[in-house]
Amino acid sequence: MNIFVFLLGGLLIGYALRRIGRGVKVDKPISVALLLMIFFLGVKTGTVKVSALWLLVSSLVFAILTILGSLALALGVRT
């Protein structure tokens, strides 16, 4: 819910700036914000302890089931 306040505020400020004819370039600030978010997401993810073997096995099982499901759907649609 809190994020909607900032989204609505940014929308209103952008609309007001556009109405008075003052263009604002947001390309670089958005790029910087996204890079910072990705960086901090990586830092946070790096602190999580995960069993590598369990992750490998579950990823392989998921990949195999996804491939088999896609093949079954393709064969079902084809006939």
Side-chain angles (χ1 to χ4, degrees):
M1 179 69 178
N2 291 336
I3 194 167
F4 292 118
V5 173
F6 293 105
L7 287 173
L8 186 61
L11 180 74
L12 292 174
I13 290 171
Y15 182 74
L17 288 174
R18 187 177 63 174
R19 293 270 297 172
I20 64 172
R22 185 163 179 221
V24 178
K25 291 190 176 189
V26 293
D27 298 344
K28 288 185 182 183
I30 287 177
S31 295
V32 170
L34 285 173
L35 288 174
L36 285 173
M37 286 174 24
I38 292 169
F39 173 75
F40 287 119
L41 178 66
V43 169
K44 182 65 178 172
T45 304
T47 62
V48 176
K49 298 203 187 248
V50 179
S51 171
L53 182 61
W54 178 84
L55 185 62
L56 175 67
V57 171
S58 63
S59 297
L60 286 174
V61 168
F62 183 71
I64 291 169
L65 290 175
T66 302
I67 292 169
L68 291 175
S70 296
L71 287 174
L73 185 64
L75 289 174
V77 170
R78 186 180 67 142
T79 56

